[in-house]
Amino acid sequence: MELAGIVLSDNKQGLFVSRLENRVRALGLQNYSDYYRYIHDDVNNYERHHLVDLLTTNETFFFREAAHFEFLRELAKSSAGAFRVWSAACSSGEEAWSVAMTLADALRTGPWEVVGTDISRRVLAKARNAHYAMERIDGIPSAFLKRYCLRGIDREAGTLLVHKMLRERVRFCYSNLLQPRQDLGTFDVIFLRNVMIYFDNDTKLKVVRNLLPYLKNDGFLVTGHAESLTSLNCGLKMLRPTLYQRR
Ligand SMILES: C[S@@+](CC[C@H](N)C(=O)[O-])C[C@H]1O[C@@H](n2cnc3c(N)ncnc32)[C@H](O)[C@@H]1O
């Protein structure tokens, strides 16, 4: 899918077709050609965004791949000046909030900021709400739960809201990795995790090159454990699997 750079592998095509069939039916259209025309004529891009939502996989959870947060914590402690992290492809925000809790703990009152971006407006809305079902919070260390999360009561029972002091330092906005927005500034660390598995090698290279200008000198790029950049000549030095540094 050109807009997102997603390549549909054979085993994902069945899933995609069934989601698309439901959508075509829900719109009262006859077939895919009608749907194609419908998207083509959609001046507000509403249906294009809907299609992105149908195609993307948004699975995520708090403190996913915990070693990355250990690394972040040590790096932040040894940093000077405002520490900035970008959760690129942040899905519904669990990654960005995990980063925020780690930085708040490591830096206390020191200056830090987190930016979360994604191509799906639906998940970005969830991320901004910072409001999660209790079943989703397993990975959050108990000290962080106490310090950075509010447990819902009455009508909100069974849910959790991320504390205002973190919400003030984290912002979410739309950005496509293939054409990142220009106003993000530069970062000490970019999390680019569990999204490149959907890209072919050319797209991966393009995405990584797109992101390089947003990394401070000596800044770090973190990928998911199933993603490797070793076969790409992208100007980053691998320190260990999933951890790369701009030199
Ligand atoms: C599986 S989630 C990963 C979430 C999180 N990074 C993690 O590791 O838990 C992948 C996310 O990438 C987003 N995505 C896919 N293609 C994208 C693109 N071209 N630009 C920005 N985000 C994209 C999807 O919308 C989805 O929310």
Side-chain angles (χ1 to χ4, degrees):
M1 211 200 112
E2 213 176 292
L3 174 68
I6 296 163
V7 174
L8 292 167
S9 56
D10 290 346
N11 60 348
K12 291 266 165 56
Q13 278 181 13
L15 175 71
F16 169 58
V17 168
S18 76
R19 287 179 185 172
L20 202 56
E21 268 172 9
N22 290 342
R23 183 64 186 157
V24 169
R25 216 173 298 129
L27 290 168
L29 301 172
Q30 296 301 315
N31 49 40
Y32 295 133
S33 307
D34 287 353
Y35 187 60
Y36 180 80
R37 269 191 295 277
Y38 186 83
I39 289 195
H40 191 260
D41 297 343
D42 167 30
V43 280
N44 299 323
N45 280 341
Y46 174 82
E47 192 56 30
R48 276 201 184 94
H49 292 301
H50 203 101
L51 183 59
V52 166
D53 287 341
L54 289 180
L55 286 179
T56 48
T57 302
N58 308 116
E59 195 205 337
T60 185
F61 44 92
F62 285 102
F63 290 90
R64 183 179 199 174
E65 301 181 38
H68 291 156
F69 298 94
E70 283 304 313
F71 164 76
L72 183 68
R73 180 189 163 75
E74 294 312 313
L75 183 71
K77 275 173 144 180
S78 62
S79 70
F83 196 85
R84 300 189 75 236
V85 179
W86 180 9
S87 168
C90 64
S91 187
S92 40
E94 287 85 337
E95 179 177 272
W97 295 120
S98 304
V99 169
M101 290 180 206
T102 305
L103 296 185
D105 182 57
L107 297 171
R108 303 285 160 151
T109 54
W112 60 267
E113 189 193 9
V114 179
V115 178
T117 62
D118 202 279
I119 198 173
S120 163
R121 293 179 199 265
R122 181 177 54 82
V123 291
L124 283 169
K126 282 194 191 173
R128 279 186 204 108
N129 280 343
H131 190 208
Y132 297 93
M134 280 300 202
E135 304 94 70
R136 308 266 316 145
I137 63 167
D138 279 355
I140 307 179
S142 54
F144 289 4
L145 268 177
K146 283 199 192 109
R147 215 178 302 149
Y148 303 125
C149 305
L150 302 168
R151 195 179 281 262
I153 52 168
D154 300 333
R155 270 181 37 209
E156 305 296 350
T159 67
L160 158 158
L161 182 68
V162 179
H163 202 287
K164 188 165 179 264
M165 69 181 159
L166 300 195
R167 298 202 311 269
E168 282 168 351
R169 302 230 202 167
V170 181
R171 74 187 159 98
F172 292 98
C173 50
Y174 174 92
S175 184
N176 183 347
L177 293 166
L178 294 175
Q179 290 165 324
R181 49 190 293 157
Q182 306 283 304
D183 58 354
L184 297 173
T186 55
F187 297 90
D188 298 275
V189 182
I190 299 177
F191 277 60
L192 180 65
R193 304 190 313 162
N194 304 304
V195 59
M196 284 188 293
I197 33 175
Y198 307 108
F199 299 157
D200 61 19
N201 268 352
D202 286 348
T203 310
K204 270 191 213 169
L205 185 60
K206 183 167 183 208
V207 163
V208 174
R209 287 196 174 144
N210 281 349
L211 264 49
L212 284 183
Y214 296 83
L215 262 186
K216 292 181 185 170
N217 283 335
D218 295 331
F220 296 88
L221 181 83
V222 183
T223 67
H225 73 273
E227 298 161 319
S228 170
L229 305 180
T230 42
S231 63
L232 308 177
N233 183 12
C234 60
L236 290 168
K237 180 178 158 54
M238 185 172 96
L239 301 183
R240 57 176 192 251
T242 75
L243 184 60
Y244 300 83
Q245 187 170 26
R246 180 177 177 178
R247 292 284 174 122

